[in-house]
Amino acid sequence: NAGVTQTPKFRILKIGQSMTLQCTQDMNHNYMYWYRQDPGMGLKLIYYSVGAGITDKGEVPNGYNVSRSTTEDFPLRLELAAPSQTSVYFCASSYAGQGIPNYGYTFGSGTRLTVV
Amino acid sequence: KNEVEQSPQNLTAQEGEFITINCSYSVGISALHWLQQHPGGGIVSLFMLSSGKKKHGRLIATINIQEKHSSLHITASHPRDSAVYICAVRWKTSYDKVIFGPGTSLSVIP
């Protein structure tokens, strides 16, 4: 049981390049999230999804896009990378539903991205 | 003012000490999470609370909804407890909105 798998673990991008951060979970969780963590700051929500085919913006969505074609996969796309997107990115998943509390998150191991 | 604040920001303790990390928040919430981020970066969910108290091993989490305050206690601390501890609150007004605190960095010295 792998939990939440994120790839790559590290990446250096040049300004203006694009890339996709992959996230896969095998727990049949309906909710998936992308966060970024900047030094000394709390995790900030970029995008989230409550199920396949449904995505919505979080607090800091600009410069990113997501898709959720399956329950398992929730890739994050960076178009035209900028230095401000240098951060550590975490994917997470959880299970929640009508009247069911959202239990604890399962996080991926993170992707350290540097844009130069 | 940040919506979720934690204190202290940094904490160094001797092995065996009793440790308390505090979290205060300014919004109405439906639940509060405590997370642990290991030195290698991985994040683990420790507790989810909506009232009262929960215990798991040497970790105890409490919440006072009226005072908008939660504490995470570690009894008989050990160097392997060294990590960043993060408080996160789920907004009552938006089921999916979670706000994370900045974290408390704990170092336990042998």
Side-chain angles (χ1 to χ4, degrees), chain A residues 45-102:
Chain A
L45 181 64
I46 305 171
Y47 271 94
Y48 68 98
S49 168
V50 301
I54 306 169
T55 63
D56 209 346
K57 295 178 181 178
E59 302 168 78
V60 290
N62 292 342
Y64 307 94
N65 272 300
V66 293
S67 60
R68 185 98 182 268
S69 56
T70 66
T71 299
E72 294 79 19
D73 299 307
F74 191 43
L76 177 72
R77 178 85 178 157
L78 279 73
E79 305 281 3
L80 299 174
S84 61
Q85 293 177 304
T86 294
S87 189
V88 180
Y89 292 83
F90 288 95
C91 178
S93 71
S94 66
Y95 181 77
Q98 189 72 20
I100 299 173
N102 185 314

Side-chain angles (χ1 to χ4, degrees), chain A residues 37 90 107-110, chain B residues 35-45 83-84 86:
Chain A
Q37 185 179 40
F90 288 95
F107 281 83
S109 56
Chain B
L35 309 165
Q36 179 191 53
Q37 185 168 24
H38 298 293
I43 300 175
V44 175
S45 182
V84 175
I86 301 169

Side-chain angles (χ1 to χ4, degrees), chain B residues 21-71:
Chain B
I21 298 170
N22 296 299
C23 174
S24 60
Y25 52 91
S26 58
V27 296
I29 68 168
S30 59
L32 181 144
H33 296 262
W34 281 103
L35 309 165
Q36 179 191 53
Q37 185 168 24
H38 298 293
I43 300 175
V44 175
S45 182
L46 297 175
F47 295 103
M48 188 189 77
L49 295 162
S50 54
S51 64
K53 177 178 172 178
K54 285 191 176 179
K55 184 176 189 291
H56 182 70
R58 295 179 295 105
L59 301 178
I60 303 166
T62 64
I63 189 168
N64 185 318
I65 295 292
Q66 287 73 28
E67 294 186 4
K68 294 187 169 61
H69 181 269
S70 176
S71 292

Side-chain angles (χ1 to χ4, degrees), chain B residues 2 7 14-15 17 25 31 33 36 39 42-43 48 50 52 65 72 77 79 83 95-96 98 101 109:
Chain B
N2 294 327
S7 63
Q14 290 291 128
E15 183 174 356
E17 284 186 8
Y25 52 91
H33 296 262
Q36 179 191 53
I43 300 175
M48 188 189 77
S50 54
I65 295 292
L72 177 68
S77 59
Y95 187 77
D96 301 299
V98 175
I109 300 169

